[in-house]
Amino acid sequence: MSHEELSPTERSTVRRGKHRARSERAELHEVLDNALLCHVGFTVSGHPRVLPTAFARVDETMYLHGSTGSRLLREAANGTEMCVAVTLLDGVVYARATAHNSVNYRSAVIHGRPFAVTDPEAKWSALRAITEHLAPGSWEHARHPDRRELAGTAVVGLDLAEASVKTREGDPGDTPEDVAEDRVWAGVLPLHSYWGTPRPSSEQPRRRPVPEHVSTRRTP
Amino acid sequence: MSHEELSPTERSTVRRGKHRARSERAELHEVLDNALLCHVGFTVSGHPRVLPTAFARVDETMYLHGSTGSRLLREAANGTEMCVAVTLLDGVVYARATAHNSVNYRSAVIHGRPFAVTDPEAKWSALRAITEHLAPGSWEHARHPDRRELAGTAVVGLDLAEASVKTREGDPGDTPEDVAEDRVWAGVLPLHSYWGTPRPSSEQPRRRPVPEHVSTRRTP
């Protein structure tokens, strides 16, 4: 695996738990590509805001979209500084001491000023990427955005240049004393997710089979 | 269900998709109680930050903890204004038009200034609550914090007074035209999570059975 540095600027350098910092682009990409939502933080009139939203990564850019009327998209299109967190929870760590309980996770944090994506071709590509990230196969399957939908949708990009990745995996980090005493069970309870049974729209005639891109979607 | 108002202050009022706003304390509690992590947003020297962390709710207060050396806990203990997002993703909505693709979710956002929890009894209770939220049963099972661990752990509380809840559930919200045309499958692919097989610590003797609070943990 290559070890390209993840832009170790002051604020994107992991301050605590440096042993958990992973300085690899591939790992950043993996976190982003495996998460369905991100949490976007920004400041409005001095007050912090955090909102969950969908996204997609294309190369070294992250794309967000939303209604042109939404606060998040308006702020983002204006280049307001943002911090985006993408978090995958992999399990709960049961330690021998409650103070060492923890979680196993993969976490990315990206800092930057988004830019409005207004070029029609670039906007179309970004919308396709977001659609395919959230609902793979549906860009080919469903109706594409029309002129009015495009006009009502804002798209912004965020460069992944300034990003950090932090992960935790494996055993509890108990003290040698607690390990030696061996008084209680310790270990990890992994957390997984899976897709349930597709539920057709209630307005949908029964006869239509669930398409393959939905029925065979890979477990996240 | 009671309909107590969720503090409809200017910034906690849901601006878009008001039909999705749910103004009920019970629903706020349900979102918080079913999530394992939250995302905390705050501002450092004018720059937005977002970090994922564990938490617990007790009545109308949310508690966070961490190392006394962590930036998040130091800022929180100083009463820095914060915005906390708690998000549960329930499924992906495949619409007849990609512009109407969406997710089903339950989302809470809390605004406020945290307060340091320093009273020994209150701190102990909060740590127990956080432990029991993340790893139910482990407060009884594992070693409790000792004097040194307590001194190295900061706990903050955040009043849930100023909070909003937003949810989406059910069918795609396609246009009547797309529904009438009935060209493609539309529906919801539910997302679920489950606990995998508990993995004992590699430093743990094989003979110890997985305790019931781990082996029978309820699916999140």
Side-chain angles (χ1 to χ4, degrees):
Chain A
M1 265 218 273
S2 79
H3 275 258
E4 284 181 76
E5 279 293 294
L6 279 187
S7 65
T9 60
E10 197 273 331
R11 68 185 164 185
S12 72
T13 301
V14 175
R15 227 170 288 274
R16 303 200 51 82
K18 275 184 202 290
H19 59 291
R20 291 186 196 155
R22 298 280 181 280
S23 297
E24 290 159 29
R25 301 308 303 177
E27 208 159 0
L28 172 66
H29 295 175
E30 200 235 311
V31 174
L32 268 55
D33 294 352
N34 282 286
L36 289 166
L37 296 181
C38 64
H39 283 82
V40 184
F42 56 111
T43 305
V44 178
S45 311
H47 303 293
R49 297 251 177 145
V50 180
L51 288 173
T53 192
F55 72 97
R57 178 189 71 83
V58 179
D59 299 329
E60 295 298 329
T61 305
M62 181 173 193
Y63 291 99
L64 312 177
H65 77 321
S67 160
T68 50
S70 84
R71 168 80 75 156
L72 172 59
L73 268 293
R74 276 186 291 136
E75 295 284 344
N78 286 335
T80 299
E81 191 182 344
M82 298 200 165
C83 177
V84 182
V86 179
T87 311
L88 298 164
L89 180 59
D90 295 324
V92 170
V93 179
Y94 291 74
R96 293 152 182 92
T98 61
H100 292 274
N101 277 358
S102 188
V103 291
N104 283 342
Y105 63 90
R106 289 163 287 161
S107 160
V109 176
I110 302 118
H111 295 270
R113 293 184 185 277
F115 54 91
V117 178
T118 52
D119 171 76
E121 215 168 297
K123 187 172 174 179
W124 190 260
S125 294
L127 286 173
R128 184 176 54 210
I130 295 168
T131 298
E132 284 296 293
H133 183 72
L134 189 67
S138 69
W139 187 262
E140 283 309 308
H141 187 76
R143 178 175 64 72
H144 288 173
D146 62 24
R147 195 177 296 263
R148 210 168 58 91
E149 287 165 345
L150 277 175
T153 304
V155 176
V156 297
L158 178 63
D159 197 292
L160 298 178
E162 201 179 335
S164 60
V165 178
K166 205 174 154 185
T167 65
R168 189 197 190 285
E169 56 183 357
D171 283 348
D174 280 305
T175 65
E177 293 75 21
D178 286 332
V179 172
E181 277 197 19
D182 189 30
R183 292 198 322 117
V184 297
W185 187 88
V188 173
L189 186 60
L191 184 63
H192 305 293
S193 53
Y194 66 99
W195 298 112
T197 307
R199 210 171 49 220
S201 165
S202 57
E203 300 176 302
Q204 182 97 58
R206 289 274 164 84
R207 58 187 154 71
R208 197 183 295 285
V210 178
E212 209 169 287
H213 69 279
V214 178
S215 63
T216 66
R217 182 164 187 177
R218 203 169 54 88
T219 294
Chain B
M1 267 216 275
S2 79
H3 274 259
E4 284 181 74
E5 279 295 294
L6 279 186
S7 65
T9 61
E10 197 274 330
R11 67 184 165 186
S12 71
T13 300
V14 175
R15 227 170 288 273
R16 301 198 52 81
K18 275 183 203 287
H19 59 291
R20 293 186 195 153
R22 299 280 181 278
S23 297
E24 290 159 30
R25 302 305 306 174
E27 208 159 359
L28 171 66
H29 294 175
E30 200 236 311
V31 174
L32 268 55
D33 294 352
N34 281 287
L36 289 165
L37 296 181
C38 65
H39 283 82
V40 184
F42 55 110
T43 306
V44 178
S45 310
H47 303 293
R49 296 251 178 145
V50 180
L51 289 173
T53 192
F55 72 97
R57 178 189 71 84
V58 179
D59 300 329
E60 295 297 330
T61 306
M62 180 173 193
Y63 292 99
L64 312 177
H65 77 322
S67 160
T68 50
S70 83
R71 167 81 77 160
L72 172 59
L73 268 293
R74 276 187 291 133
E75 294 283 346
N78 286 335
T80 298
E81 191 182 344
M82 298 199 166
C83 176
V84 182
V86 179
T87 310
L88 298 165
L89 180 58
D90 295 324
V92 171
V93 179
Y94 292 75
R96 293 153 183 92
T98 61
H100 292 273
N101 277 357
S102 187
V103 291
N104 282 341
Y105 63 90
R106 290 162 287 161
S107 161
V109 175
I110 302 119
H111 295 270
R113 292 184 184 278
F115 55 91
V117 178
T118 52
D119 170 75
E121 216 168 297
K123 187 173 173 178
W124 191 260
S125 293
L127 286 173
R128 184 176 55 209
I130 295 168
T131 298
E132 285 295 293
H133 183 73
L134 189 66
S138 70
W139 187 262
E140 283 308 310
H141 187 77
R143 178 175 65 72
H144 288 173
D146 62 23
R147 195 177 296 262
R148 209 168 57 90
E149 288 166 346
L150 277 175
T153 305
V155 176
V156 298
L158 178 62
D159 197 294
L160 298 178
E162 200 179 335
S164 60
V165 178
K166 205 174 154 183
T167 66
R168 189 199 189 284
E169 57 184 358
D171 283 348
D174 280 305
T175 65
E177 292 74 22
D178 286 332
V179 172
E181 278 198 18
D182 189 30
R183 293 199 321 117
V184 297
W185 186 88
V188 173
L189 186 59
L191 184 62
H192 304 292
S193 52
Y194 67 99
W195 299 111
T197 307
R199 210 169 52 219
S201 166
S202 57
E203 299 176 303
Q204 183 97 58
R206 289 274 164 85
R207 59 185 154 72
R208 196 183 296 285
V210 178
E212 209 170 288
H213 69 279
V214 178
S215 63
T216 66
R217 182 165 188 177
R218 203 169 54 88
T219 293

